[in-house]
Amino acid sequence: MNNATLTADAAETKTTDSQLARPVIVLDHIHKIYRMGDVEVHALRGISLTIREGEFVAIMGASGSGKSTTMNIIGCLDRPSRGLYTLDGVDVSQMSKDERADIRNRKIGFVFQGFNLLSRTSATENVELPMLYAGLPAPERQARASKALKAVGLAGREQNHPNQLSGGQQQRVAIARALVNQPSLILADEPTGNLDSRTSVEVMEIFQRLNDEQGITLVLVTHENDIAEYAKRVIVFKDGKINRDYPITERRSAAEELRNWPTAVEDDDD
Amino acid sequence: MNFLITFKVAFRALARNKMRSALTMLGIIIGVAAVIAMVSVGQGAQASIQDQIASMGTNMLMVGAGSMNMGGVRSGTGTTNTNTLTVDDIEAIKRECPSVAMATPSVRAGSQIIFGNQNWNTSLQGVNEEWPKIRKWLVQSGEFFNESDIRTANRVVVLGQTIVDNLFPGVDPVGQTIRVRELPFRVIGVMAKRGQDSGGRDQDDIMFAPYTTVQKKLLSITHIQFSYISAISPAATYTAEQQITDLLRQRHKLGPNQENDFFVRNMTDVAETADETNRIMTILLGSIASVSLMVGGIGIMNIMLVSVTERTREIGIRMAIGARSSAVRTQFLIESIVLSVFGGFLGILIGVLLSVLIPKLLGWPTLVSITSIVGSVLFSAAVGIFFGYYPARKAAGLDPIEALRYE
C-alpha cells in the first residue's frame, strides 16, 4: 500500500511555514498520572509539543501509548497532573470544570469515531447544539447550521435524523457540528474508524478542504498509516512519550483520489 | 445558556421519547386526578349536609323528655312513658324565654293508615300550627291546621309526599278521609317534598295532626315527648338553650344535685358535628389520594434515573461540546418538572371531569375547590423538583470522558 511517504521522510524537522504561524497548542512537559488504588500509572511522561495555526497533524500510536490521554488533555476533557497546556495563548491546564466546558464550546470542535450524534434529532438540531450552549439566538443558529451543513455537502438533508443517514453522512453532520462555533481547533478521534474506504476518503477530503481553504487547525488520531498520509505532520506516541514527529512530504490528496476512484477497486478494499 | 434554552433542550429530549414521557406522566396524572376527584366528593358531601342543616333551620332547638343520660334508669328518653314534659312547660318557655320565638309540642304515634283498600305504615306527629314556620317546611297543597283545630282536637291530617305517593296514586288526597287506628281523619293538606335527611332517612314518610288530637284520641296521654323551638336568631340558640334549661329546672323543682329530667339539643351543635365529621372524611380521602401522587413522583424519579443511565452517552456528547454541569443538571431537572407539571395539568382536567361525571353516574354531590387544584399544581411541581433533583445531580456529575466511552 502507500508506505512510500512514511518511510521516505523520517526526519524530525519542522517546516518553516508552520514556524511562522501562531501556535494554537503548546504542551510543555505534560505528565498524567492515574492512581489505581496504591498503584500509580504514568500515562504521559513529559510531553512537549507545539501545534501551529493551519497545521494538520495525525497522532498515531498503539493503544496504551498515551495518545488518547493526550487527546483528552488537548480537548480539555481532562487536566494534566503536571505541566503547562496553552490553548490559543490561554493557560488551560488548571482550569475548572465549567471553564473547560466553555473552552470546549468556543475553541474546540470534536469529531468522534462513533459519530456521537443525538439520536432522533434532526441534522440541523444536532449542528445547532454547540451554538445552543454558546447562547446564540435562534435565527443565527439556524443560518449557521444550514451553512455548515452545506459546507460538508449535506444541503437538503437538514431535517433527516441520524438513522436516516449513512455513516459517511452522519460523520459529515458531526463535522458540521464541530465547525459551527468557528473553533481554533478541530479534534478528530479515529473519524474514519467506522467507515468504509471510499467514505473514509470522502471524510478526509472534507478535512483537507477545511484545512487548505479555511486554514482550520486539525488534529487527528488514527492508527491507519494511509489515513495519516492525508495530514501534513505525523506524531507517533510510544510508552507515554513522543517517539517520532515528522512532516509528510508526499501528501495524499483525497479530492484527487475521489476523482479517479475506480469502481472495481471499491469492492476489493471492502 | 439561559433558562429558556435549557427549557427547550429539555422539552426536545422529552419529545424524543414520547411514549416513555407519557407513561411517566401517568402516575402523576392519576395522582392529581384522584386528589381532585376525592376532595371534590368530600366537599360536595360537606356542602350538601350544610344545605340540609340550613334548610332544617339553623336557629332550631329540640327539647325532649327524660335525660341524656344513657344509663339504665333514664333510657326512656322521649318515649310516651316519660311524662316529665308537659304542654304547660312549652307555654311557659314561649312566655318567659326572651330568646325563644316559636315553640311547638310534639308527640309521635306509629300507625297503620288505611285509604280505600290500600294501607301504609307510617308515623303520625302531633304538633301545633307553628310547625311549618319552625321547620321552614311549607304546605304544598291544601292548608296546615290552625289554632281552632288544636283547641277542638280536630281529626285532620297533613300528609307527607311519600304517603301521598303510596296511598293516593293519581288521586288528589286533599278532602279525602283516611283511617288511623280505626278513627277517620280528614286530609286537609300535603307538605312539600323534603327528601332524605343527612342520615339517609325519608323525611316525607310522615303525617301531621294537631298534638291535642294525637294526645287525646290516639295515645290517651297528657304529657308530650318533644318540643321543637325556634330561637330568635341563629346566634341566640345558645342563650335560648340556657334560658330553657333554667326555666325547666325551676318548673320541675330540681335541686342543685339533681340531674335534668329533660334534654335540650341545640341543632347548631349537630350541624357543627356533622360538618367536622365530613371535614375529617375529606382530609382522609385527600390523603389517600396524595399517596398515589407520591407514588407517581417516585415513578418519575425511577424513570429519570433509568434515563440518566440510558442517556449517559448523550450527556457525554453535550458535555464534550460545551455544556456545563449546571446546564446538564438544569436540563434533567426541567425534564422532570415538565413531566410532573404537565402530568399535573392533565390530572386536573381528568379530576375535574370526574367531579362532573360522579354526580351524574353515582348520584353523589361534588364540589371542585380551587384550593385542591392550586394545591395539586404546587404539589406536583414540588414532586418534580424533589424527585428530579437526585437523577439530575447524577447526570451533572458524570465525567465526559467516561460518558463518551459508555456503550
Side-chain angles (χ1 to χ4, degrees):
Chain A
M1 299 238 326
N2 293 293
N3 51 6
T5 39
L6 271 178
T7 46
D9 202 318
E12 296 188 359
T13 52
K14 293 187 177 78
T15 59
T16 22
D17 191 314
S18 60
Q19 272 170 341
L20 292 172
R22 194 168 57 91
V24 176
I25 297 168
V26 180
L27 297 181
D28 187 12
H29 294 93
I30 295 288
H31 289 260
K32 182 72 190 179
I33 301 156
Y34 292 107
R35 219 173 293 271
M36 291 176 169
D38 295 337
V39 189
E40 283 191 351
V41 179
H42 248 85
L44 295 181
R45 301 166 180 270
I47 303 283
S48 293
L49 173 68
T50 301
I51 295 173
R52 292 172 186 275
E53 197 169 23
E55 277 201 86
F56 188 165
V57 181
I59 291 182
M60 300 192 71
S63 65
S65 63
K67 70 175 193 299
S68 291
T69 309
T70 309
M71 279 301 277
N72 287 339
I73 288 172
I74 289 176
C76 293
L77 290 165
D78 206 349
R79 283 194 294 201
S81 304
R82 260 187 287 145
L84 266 184
Y85 170 27
T86 314
L87 173 67
D88 229 5
V90 183
D91 177 17
V92 296
S93 34
Q94 298 308 322
M95 275 187 170
S96 73
K97 224 179 153 194
D98 282 350
E99 286 171 319
R100 280 185 283 131
D102 291 346
I103 288 281
R104 287 198 296 273
N105 185 241
R106 283 183 286 113
K107 304 234 172 194
I108 303 168
F110 287 94
V111 179
F112 305 94
Q113 177 177 6
F115 318 136
N116 279 345
L117 299 176
L118 295 190
S119 59
R120 276 177 272 183
T121 303
S122 71
T124 309
E125 282 177 36
N126 264 298
V127 175
E128 275 184 43
L129 211 55
M131 296 185 283
L132 213 56
Y133 289 111
L136 293 183
E140 195 182 343
R141 287 203 308 266
Q142 275 145 23
R144 274 163 70 168
S146 78
K147 203 178 138 203
L149 283 169
K150 198 179 275 177
V152 296
L154 283 178
R157 297 273 184 186
E158 287 89 349
Q159 295 312 316
N160 286 36
H161 289 193
N163 60 356
Q164 298 164 324
L165 296 169
S166 71
Q169 287 171 327
Q170 288 185 54
Q171 194 60 298
R172 282 189 268 168
V173 175
I175 295 169
R177 183 179 65 189
L179 277 173
V180 85
N181 265 358
Q182 293 154 344
S184 322
L185 168 71
I186 286 183
L187 276 184
D189 190 0
E190 307 248 15
T192 60
N194 284 8
L195 301 173
D196 64 48
S197 45
R198 183 181 161 112
T199 318
S200 298
V201 178
E202 281 172 4
V203 167
M204 294 318 294
E205 189 271 331
I206 294 171
F207 282 140
Q208 284 191 326
R209 189 152 44 83
L210 291 171
N211 181 246
D212 293 341
E213 292 174 9
Q214 298 181 34
I216 291 173
T217 313
L218 277 154
V219 177
L220 175 101
V221 172
T222 182
H223 59 262
E224 295 169 85
N225 282 337
D226 51 345
I227 292 295
E229 284 164 27
Y230 293 103
K232 291 175 179 167
R233 174 183 169 192
V234 176
I235 298 172
V236 183
F237 278 74
K238 195 179 177 188
D239 299 330
K241 284 182 174 171
I242 293 175
N243 188 29
R244 288 197 296 161
D245 185 347
Y246 57 92
I248 302 268
T249 43
E250 273 180 62
R251 195 180 175 210
R252 289 172 65 174
S253 163
E256 204 170 295
E257 286 172 28
L258 283 177
R259 271 195 299 278
N260 306 324
W261 196 269
T263 31
V265 180
E266 192 180 3
D267 294 331
D268 289 351
D269 276 10
D270 291 341
Chain B
M1 180 84 183
N2 63 43
F3 186 78
L4 200 75
I5 286 168
T6 318
F7 188 85
K8 205 179 275 176
V9 167
F11 209 83
R12 279 180 188 172
L14 289 176
R16 269 191 286 148
N17 240 316
K18 290 190 188 69
M19 185 66 177
R20 186 168 66 193
S21 304
L23 285 174
T24 312
M25 274 190 286
L26 204 57
I28 291 291
I29 292 173
I30 291 172
V32 170
V35 167
I36 288 176
M38 291 293 106
V39 171
S40 83
V41 166
Q43 292 194 323
Q46 205 168 348
S48 86
I49 282 175
Q50 279 167 346
D51 269 5
Q52 279 171 348
I53 285 163
S55 75
M56 196 172 75
T58 46
N59 47 358
M60 207 182 75
L61 296 113
M62 197 172 83
V63 176
S67 81
M68 289 289 268
N69 192 334
M70 295 306 278
V73 181
R74 301 274 184 198
S75 61
T77 294
T79 66
T80 36
N81 304 328
T82 314
N83 54 11
T84 51
L85 203 61
T86 64
V87 176
D88 287 345
D89 284 336
I90 309 310
E91 291 303 319
I93 287 170
K94 271 207 265 192
R95 222 171 32 240
E96 290 173 32
C97 297
S99 292
V100 170
M102 293 175 283
T104 174
S106 169
V107 281
R108 244 177 207 254
S111 171
Q112 188 191 55
I113 57 173
I114 296 164
F115 172 71
N117 58 357
Q118 307 274 327
N119 70 79
W120 185 252
N121 271 304
T122 185
S123 54
L124 176 61
Q125 189 172 8
V127 290
N128 73 8
E129 76 287 351
E130 286 183 315
W131 174 260
K133 278 187 271 175
I134 292 170
R135 292 300 308 267
K136 297 191 174 68
W137 193 354
L138 299 177
V139 173
Q140 185 188 296
S141 65
E143 55 189 9
F144 209 76
F145 42 81
N146 56 31
E147 245 187 300
S148 90
D149 290 320
I150 290 168
R151 263 199 314 276
T152 58
N154 214 346
R155 289 200 302 266
V156 289
V157 285
V158 179
L159 304 179
Q161 277 290 345
T162 304
I163 299 171
V164 174
D165 293 344
N166 285 286
L167 224 45
F168 298 92
V171 182
D172 181 9
V174 178
Q176 305 284 351
T177 301
I178 59 168
R179 297 179 78 81
V180 182
R181 295 194 186 176
E182 304 307 318
L183 291 174
F185 276 74
R186 190 163 52 86
V187 178
I188 58 165
V190 175
M191 301 302 285
K193 191 172 172 65
R194 190 96 180 193
Q196 294 178 342
D197 68 7
S198 53
R201 281 182 301 268
D202 184 2
Q203 298 183 88
D204 298 313
D205 190 5
I206 198 165
M207 58 189 179
F208 302 100
Y211 69 92
T212 48
T213 312
V214 178
Q215 272 183 322
K216 291 170 189 166
K217 308 256 162 84
L218 291 172
L219 297 174
S220 304
I221 54 171
T222 52
H223 59 270
I224 60 169
Q225 294 154 352
F226 293 104
S227 172
Y228 293 90
I229 293 165
S230 190
I232 50 175
S233 72
T237 51
Y238 293 100
T239 50
E241 190 179 349
Q242 196 54 51
Q243 289 165 0
I244 293 164
T245 308
D246 291 347
L247 179 69
L248 288 182
R249 283 187 71 85
Q250 187 196 331
R251 283 180 61 86
H252 294 179
K253 301 191 171 58
L254 297 173
N257 301 325
Q258 278 179 286
E259 273 184 67
N260 288 348
D261 59 357
F262 59 90
F263 66 88
V264 182
R265 193 184 293 161
N266 187 338
M267 288 307 185
T268 316
D269 282 349
V270 178
E272 277 167 6
T273 308
D275 208 42
E276 178 64 15
T277 310
N278 236 280
R279 215 171 53 80
I280 291 168
M281 201 63 191
T282 308
I283 290 170
L284 195 71
L285 285 172
S287 12
I288 292 169
S290 302
V291 171
S292 66
L293 197 52
M294 195 66 123
V295 173
I298 293 168
I300 287 192
M301 174 151 75
N302 212 339
I303 295 294
M304 291 309 292
L305 278 175
V306 172
S307 176
V308 168
T309 310
E310 198 186 85
R311 287 155 67 192
T312 299
R313 215 179 162 82
E314 175 195 326
I315 296 163
I317 298 168
R318 289 183 186 276
M319 285 179 159
I321 62 175
R324 290 181 171 199
S325 296
S326 57
V328 172
R329 185 171 53 235
T330 315
Q331 178 193 337
F332 277 82
L333 206 51
I334 288 176
E335 280 186 31
S336 81
I337 294 171
V338 166
L339 281 178
S340 60
V341 170
F342 195 59
F345 274 113
L346 288 178
I348 288 168
L349 282 182
I350 293 171
V352 170
L353 197 71
L354 282 177
S355 308
V356 173
L357 287 178
I358 285 172
K360 289 183 179 153
L361 298 178
L362 300 172
W364 300 344
T366 57
L367 185 73
V368 178
S369 76
I370 298 298
T371 324
S372 69
I373 291 180
V374 172
S376 301
V377 171
L378 292 181
F379 191 75
S380 54
V383 160
I385 294 170
F386 183 78
F387 289 111
Y389 185 76
Y390 174 65
R393 210 189 54 171
K394 205 178 154 195
L398 287 175
D399 174 19
I401 300 169
E402 298 289 326
L404 277 172
R405 227 181 269 148
Y406 185 86
E407 291 297 331

